[in-house]
Amino acid sequence: MEPSLAVVDRFQRPLRNLRLSVTDRCNLRCAYCMPERDYLWLPRSDILDFEEASALVDVFVDLGVDRVRLTGGEPLVRRNLAELVRLLAAKPAIRDLAMTTNGLLLAEKAKELRSAGLGRVTVSLDTLKPERFEALARSRDHRLVLAGIEEAAGLGFSALKIDSVIIRGVNEDEMVPLLDYGRRVGAEVRFIEYMDVGGATRWSPEKVVARAEILGTLARRYGPIHPLAEPGPAPAERFRLVDGTVFGVIASTTAPFCRSCDRSRLTADGLWYLCLYAARGTDLRQPLRAGASQQELRSLIEATWKGRSDRGAEERLALRDRSPLVARPALQQDPHLEMHTRGG
Ligand code: SF4
């Protein structure tokens, strides 16, 4: 779709990028996302089947979405995910079909997903130390994540990225080793500031390692860092080291990028969120299952996007006293407030 024809919100931001969560379940319990023992899960009967998800994606595509990212929870715990990938890859208007995964099941599933048409993969990896991984994610399967990354690296995805959330007192000493690892396996590393959203009930401002500190640490080790001039809505700012290595920083907490945000999120049960920080979503499952036509769904989505004025991270930045966005009791009442339901 021509940019001029794309539906835009109140700040002239187009609807381009859909994060499609396929499950709220996850096989890890990372401290910054799912730190609690117990969670309220979405009812299984509410989860969209692949045909329903594909039908909704068709409506989004009709309104200008050309990038779709599969998320969760952990998308690879959704059975037969390659079937959905095949359905989405067959839509020519989607020029970028990607997935974010924790990597645990990637080694066994990457080949099938690549054959089904998945274009790009991003793997979350916050540490290279198995014992630290166990403390951070409550899993002893760190080696499976590395195996997943290394398997994916050999399969010809158009891009392989590693996302590392940097938390003070947890892993800020691993930025250089993570970058070296990414370089070794052919993956672009992106360092992400710790965010206060959703299930990050243990967030505090002191634990945020800001963009400037990340760049300072890397410059001390690698020498001058050159920013790449890349206009556009991508959340990561990208940089190049003297030796040509490219990496990214996602400064969602200290330098948010809401003004160019073209992303929205569809949960596995069909609620559509206009912002990671939004308190409420628009229920698309109900009209879809009630037999709404493509045109009716299109009108609903178009009208909702046109009214969008969300700038969640920028509004949070303006707060004086900042603490986790949602208190634990509220999260226990409504799983839709969780980051793992909204697709991170
Ligand atoms: S906080 Fe909301 S508006 Fe800002 S970048 Fe994130 S999703 Fe987009």
Side-chain angles (χ1 to χ4, degrees), residues 19-24 33 69-75 100 263-268 273 276 336 338-344:
R19 294 177 69 97
L20 178 63
S21 172
V22 293
T23 179
D24 58 331
C33 181
R69 176 171 292 274
L70 301 174
T71 67
E74 166 49 40
T100 298
R263 274 180 306 288
S264 65
R265 296 169 157 81
L266 188 63
T267 62
Y273 286 88
L276 187 53
H336 291 101
E338 295 279 4
M339 186 158 52
H340 67 259
T341 304
R342 297 184 177 193

Side-chain angles (χ1 to χ4, degrees), residues 30-36 39 136 165-168 170 192-210 250-256 276-277 312-313 315-328 331 338-339:
C30 297
Y32 52 80
C33 181
M34 299 183 78
E36 314 299 342
Y39 286 92
L136 188 62
V165 178
I166 303 300
I167 304 176
R168 191 171 316 285
V170 175
I192 303 177
E193 290 180 352
Y194 187 18
M195 293 180 77
D196 55 352
V197 77
T201 47
R202 296 178 191 168
W203 183 92
S204 71
E206 299 73 37
K207 292 184 185 162
V208 177
V209 179
I250 302 184
S252 342
T253 299
T254 67
L276 187 53
Y277 286 86
E315 285 165 3
R316 298 287 295 165
L317 186 62
L319 294 180
R320 247 168 212 281
D321 294 318
R322 199 163 162 185
S323 55
L325 175 72
V326 191
R328 188 153 184 246
L331 290 169
E338 295 279 4
M339 186 158 52

Side-chain angles (χ1 to χ4, degrees), residues 46-242:
D46 287 354
I47 303 294
L48 301 180
D49 65 31
F50 291 158
E51 284 69 29
E52 290 173 323
S54 172
L56 286 178
V57 169
D58 280 336
V59 184
F60 281 102
V61 164
D62 196 37
L63 284 163
V65 164
D66 57 6
R67 279 170 290 150
V68 175
R69 176 171 292 274
L70 301 174
T71 67
E74 166 49 40
L76 294 181
V77 302
R78 179 80 187 252
R79 216 178 296 157
N80 302 325
L81 186 68
E83 274 178 31
L84 177 62
V85 169
R86 220 165 276 121
L87 287 173
L88 299 179
K91 303 181 195 301
I94 299 178
R95 61 180 178 84
D96 180 24
L97 180 58
M99 176 182 70
T100 298
T101 171
N102 65 29
L104 225 54
L105 299 171
L106 189 59
E108 62 179 88
K109 302 199 174 188
K111 197 177 245 171
E112 187 188 11
L113 293 168
R114 181 76 192 106
S115 309
L118 187 67
R120 297 193 298 130
V121 176
T122 300
V123 183
S124 302
L125 176 70
D126 305 316
T127 178
L128 293 169
K129 301 180 178 180
E131 65 286 358
R132 190 173 274 180
F133 181 79
E134 187 174 347
L136 188 62
R138 286 192 236 144
S139 164
R140 293 187 177 162
D141 289 328
H142 183 255
R143 74 199 149 76
L144 294 183
V145 180
L146 302 188
I149 292 170
E150 287 155 34
E151 171 73 13
L155 289 174
F157 287 103
S158 63
L160 175 63
K161 293 187 177 163
I162 291 174
D163 276 0
S164 305
V165 178
I166 303 300
I167 304 176
R168 191 171 316 285
V170 175
N171 65 344
E172 82 266 40
D173 57 341
E174 285 201 72
M175 288 185 259
V176 166
L178 283 163
L179 196 52
D180 285 346
Y181 175 75
R183 184 162 46 183
R184 204 162 64 243
V185 298
E188 184 173 317
V189 178
R190 307 188 311 171
F191 298 104
I192 303 177
E193 290 180 352
Y194 187 18
M195 293 180 77
D196 55 352
V197 77
T201 47
R202 296 178 191 168
W203 183 92
S204 71
E206 299 73 37
K207 292 184 185 162
V208 177
V209 179
R211 170 188 181 279
E213 187 176 338
I214 293 170
L215 292 175
T217 301
L218 297 176
R220 275 194 295 284
R221 169 65 181 79
Y222 298 108
I225 290 174
H226 303 284
L228 298 181
E230 293 177 317
E237 276 178 276
R238 296 170 82 222
F239 302 88
R240 183 181 287 118
L241 303 178
V242 175

